[in-house]
Amino acid sequence: MMPSSYLTYAVFALVCLLLLTLPFVPAFREWLRPTDLAALPISPNYTSDIDHFARRLHADAVAKLGQGVATGYEDFDFVPNPSEGVDWRSATKRLISRNSLSSPSPIQSTQPLYVQGDLSGGPASAFSALYATGDIALDAESEIHDWAHAGGVLRLGRKGIALRRISAGSAIELGNETWFERLHAPSLYFGSRDAPAPAPYPRTPTEASYAQLPDVVQQTPLLFLIRGNCALPPDSIFRGSLVVTGFLTIGMGTTVVGDIKAREGVSMGYGAEVHGAVTCEKRVYVFKQARAWGPLVSESDVLIGAGAVIGLPDAQTTVSANNIIVEDGVTIHGTVWAHEVGMVKAA
């Protein structure tokens, strides 16, 4: 009987060992002969790099043209020259144009398009993704569904839609009534470039001190706290940073040399300046001809008036809020991120 019992125990142990080992077999086989070597695709919603997809398409296109290192994704069709009569909607692969493209009629491509040179499209042009090594100029009511990048200037006419990622090496110009989400360029211009600029505020500032304000608490030599609302008088210069637990009003023509932070809202009056960051939990109002060196961040909404300037040409910054409305004539240097929606409003 003993040999039979040993055999039973041995079979039982072998079965148990087999059951425990089976789940690890696929992993062991993958370890011996890897099959999943390609990079995983990244959704446009889950990368913080605004030009990530533009750089990737550029690398693939350059490899296809024999001017760069192979990427393994060089599957393109070429746009004929001349391009008149091309059925853009019937394309099944990504497209490359070896020459600049210009069409008074709309160009509507459902596939990503790479252009060596400039691209000019008529009214109601539409692209899923677009890259041009030169300038991009799209007429009124054109749409960019995923992303676009121009090596030079990108212009989108009035009533355009760009609700993903737009970037440019030089500047972005958006016409009135244009909708946007994420923008990045050294200079961003909103509205009509030939619109008359509002009259500059006549500056006659005088030195002032936070210490003279009601209910102020000095935290450090250059940091002050006010519990409740605060109004900085017009035509004054304040030096240092200010934290307000209520609503902060910066008077017309007043300059703050430092950062400001408020909980209930911020209002920058006509011609006011903040030489630092503006941070707020609620709405931020930047009135006409005001300036902020940035960044300008709100957890709610940002409204920027005509002629206002955010950032500096040699010190780019960020404007970030759930909703961003900018009026005709606004200039921003750097990045704008409307987490929900942004709009260019005629002044």
Side-chain angles (χ1 to χ4, degrees), residues 206-213 216 218 224 232 236-239:
T206 57
E207 290 286 339
S209 172
Y210 292 124
Q212 301 169 350
L213 299 174
V216 67
Q218 185 168 358
F224 297 81
L232 302 182
S236 304
I237 299 178
F238 290 89
R239 301 185 186 278

Side-chain angles (χ1 to χ4, degrees), residues 5-19:
S5 299
Y6 288 140
L7 180 60
T8 302
Y9 290 140
V11 171
F12 177 75
L14 183 62
V15 170
C16 291
L17 182 62
L18 182 62
L19 292 175

Side-chain angles (χ1 to χ4, degrees), residues 127-263:
F127 300 89
S128 62
L130 175 61
Y131 189 113
T133 59
D135 296 339
I136 294 174
L138 303 179
D139 216 330
E141 301 184 26
S142 294
E143 299 181 8
I144 297 169
H145 298 147
D146 289 332
W147 60 264
H149 177 84
V153 178
L154 190 151
R155 299 179 181 89
L156 186 59
R158 63 187 302 272
K159 294 187 177 181
I161 297 177
L163 293 182
R164 285 296 181 186
R165 300 163 183 240
I166 308 296
S167 57
S170 178
I172 294 174
E173 301 176 9
L174 299 185
N176 285 320
E177 300 179 69
T178 295
W179 300 85
F180 62 86
E181 185 174 340
R182 296 184 65 178
L183 310 171
H184 175 76
S187 296
L188 308 170
Y189 302 106
F190 298 86
S192 174
R193 293 299 304 277
D194 54 6
Y201 184 84
R203 294 185 174 279
T204 55
T206 57
E207 290 286 339
S209 172
Y210 292 124
Q212 301 169 350
L213 299 174
D215 303 320
V216 67
V217 178
Q218 185 168 358
Q219 304 284 333
T220 71
L222 290 175
L223 176 62
F224 297 81
L225 168 67
I226 293 180
R227 301 187 186 280
N229 299 333
C230 173
L232 302 182
D235 298 315
S236 304
I237 299 178
F238 290 89
R239 301 185 186 278
S241 298
L242 178 64
V243 177
V244 177
T245 62
F247 192 98
L248 172 61
T249 302
I250 302 175
M252 293 189 299
T254 287
T255 297
V256 175
V257 184
D259 302 325
I260 59 173
K261 182 177 181 180
R263 179 173 296 169

Side-chain angles (χ1 to χ4, degrees), residues 273-294:
E273 293 190 5
V274 175
H275 297 182
V278 179
T279 308
C280 185
E281 290 185 15
K282 296 187 179 178
R283 185 169 292 181
V284 176
Y285 302 87
V286 181
F287 286 95
K288 293 182 179 181
Q289 294 292 314
R291 301 179 68 95
W293 290 10

